Amino acid sequence: MKPRTLMRHIKESFKSIGRNSWMTFASVSAVTVTLLLVGVFVLIMMNLNKVADDLENDVEIKVFVSLDVTEETVTNLESQISEIPGVESTNFSTKEEELTDLVLDFGDELSLFEQSNPLFDVFYVKATDPQQTKNVAKEIAAFENIENVKYGEGKIEKLFNFLNAGRNVGLILILALLFTAMFLISNTIRITIVARRREIEIMKLVGATNWFVRIPFILEGMWLGILGSLIPIGLVALLYKEITDFAQPRLSGELIQLLDYTPFIYQVSALILLMGVFIGIWGSFMSIRKFLRV
């Protein structure tokens, strides 16, 4: 396409937006509301996803070694566990270290056990994929000189199912909002095409190709999407700034942490802008494809 022709299409798209100011306002408003909701959902879902990842990564298997085993046996067990496919890390803790941790957690009254320590030596094992924790735990439990294996059986599966369900629901809601925005822009372009149907017929009669007619409408949809994304970007950035300023100091040192303001907010802003452009172009394209048959 020649630059002169492209400039003609760009000018035509801006003229169409100006001529249909009320429909432009209605479409941009609808897209603004929709993208604002999408932006808020993205903030929530991405942070929930981080919380879910943090919880999953905090899951570990506690392996109790049988009493009265030799150091050589412990070393062999550590090698066996480390060689299991899917094991990320293995940390050994002696029963003395376990007792010290208990005393720190529950108080000096537990120091009475120091002379006859009833605890076990323990391996703390993490799986590369937290979802495979159960399978790794089963393999470890089959080894000799293992007294017990604990990883929160039953509760862990429920946690993973809940987190996966939350991710899926969030994705469905975001997709539903995107389709709503595409439908709104599609209707706006459709009304514009109907109003200018006579003009389009004349253009085609004098030899204009379908793409020559389509491009101004596609550009118009893109401008509507961009305009509709500007306010959501600003509001989402402001909202998340307030949330992080309030929450981060209070969550310092805790397991659950929010995503850092930067670069996350730049990523969300770019995503909202790209979604605005995409739904504008796609909505316009689908409307023209259906109604541009003269």
Side-chain angles (χ1 to χ4, degrees):
M1 182 185 296
K2 296 180 180 179
R4 185 176 179 180
T5 304
L6 178 60
M7 289 303 300
R8 185 260 176 201
H9 290 320
I10 293 174
K11 289 179 182 178
E12 189 63 30
S13 66
F14 280 120
K15 286 180 182 178
S16 178
I17 289 175
R19 282 195 299 262
N20 301 280
S21 56
W22 280 110
M23 289 306 302
T24 297
F25 175 77
S27 181
V28 169
S29 299
V31 173
T32 296
V33 172
T34 306
L35 287 180
L36 180 59
L37 291 174
V38 170
V40 172
F41 267 105
V42 169
L43 289 184
I44 294 172
M45 291 310 304
M46 291 301 290
N47 276 284
L48 284 179
N49 193 57
K50 183 182 185 304
V51 170
D53 288 342
D54 289 342
L55 290 174
E56 287 180 346
N57 292 330
D58 194 56
V59 172
E60 61 184 5
I61 304 165
K62 192 172 184 179
V63 182
F64 297 87
V65 181
S66 299
L67 296 172
D68 302 323
V69 296
T70 63
E71 290 186 12
E72 183 180 357
T73 301
V74 170
T75 303
N76 290 336
L77 275 174
E78 186 169 10
S79 298
Q80 286 180 287
I81 293 171
S82 299
E83 290 172 1
I84 296 175
V87 169
E88 180 180 333
S89 64
T90 303
N91 294 312
F92 179 68
S93 176
T94 65
K95 62 182 182 180
E96 288 77 16
E97 291 171 334
E98 290 293 295
L99 181 59
T100 299
D101 290 340
L102 279 177
V103 171
L104 290 174
D105 289 339
F106 295 102
D108 292 338
E109 59 269 17
L110 290 177
S111 62
L112 295 174
F113 289 109
E114 287 182 355
Q115 295 181 0
S116 57
N117 189 341
L119 301 179
F120 294 86
D121 292 334
V122 172
F123 285 108
Y124 291 94
V125 182
K126 281 195 174 184
T128 306
D129 179 4
Q131 303 276 350
Q132 296 299 316
T133 298
K134 180 178 179 180
N135 295 332
V136 173
K138 283 184 176 180
E139 287 197 50
I140 295 173
F143 292 159
E144 293 182 3
N145 299 308
I146 298 298
E147 184 71 23
N148 195 8
V149 175
K150 291 185 179 180
Y151 64 96
E153 185 175 5
K155 295 179 181 179
I156 292 299
E157 287 83 356
K158 289 179 181 178
L159 173 64
F160 288 158
N161 290 336
F162 175 77
L163 295 176
N164 290 332
R167 288 165 174 154
N168 292 335
V169 169
L171 179 61
I172 291 171
L173 288 174
I174 290 173
L175 290 175
L177 288 170
L178 287 176
F179 279 114
T180 300
M182 283 190 285
F183 174 76
L184 292 170
I185 284 190
S186 177
N187 276 345
T188 302
I189 301 296
R190 184 181 307 168
I191 293 171
T192 303
I193 291 173
V194 170
R196 297 170 60 190
R197 195 172 186 87
R198 181 64 178 170
E199 177 186 343
I200 293 171
E201 289 177 356
I202 293 173
M203 290 173 65
K204 294 197 68 177
L205 286 173
V206 297
T209 64
N210 281 342
W211 273 109
F212 188 88
V213 178
R214 285 184 178 120
I215 288 176
F217 291 103
I218 292 176
L219 289 172
E220 182 180 340
M222 183 179 71
W223 304 137
L224 293 176
I226 292 173
L227 289 173
S229 68
L230 297 179
I231 293 178
I233 288 173
L235 291 178
V236 166
L238 180 62
L239 173 64
Y240 196 60
K241 184 70 168 62
E242 293 296 322
I243 291 173
T244 52
D245 286 347
F246 175 80
Q248 291 290 31
R250 291 164 175 79
L251 294 176
S252 180
E254 300 292 334
L255 171 63
I256 297 175
Q257 295 287 326
L258 297 180
L259 289 163
D260 293 333
Y261 184 77
T262 55
F264 176 57
I265 200 62
Y266 299 134
Q267 296 166 350
V268 173
S269 299
L271 180 63
I272 292 174
L273 181 62
L274 289 174
M275 285 191 294
V277 172
F278 173 76
I279 63 179
I281 292 176
W282 183 256
S284 300
F285 183 81
M286 295 306 293
S287 292
I288 296 168
R289 184 182 179 186
K290 183 176 181 180
F291 287 91
L292 191 57
R293 296 172 182 171
V294 295

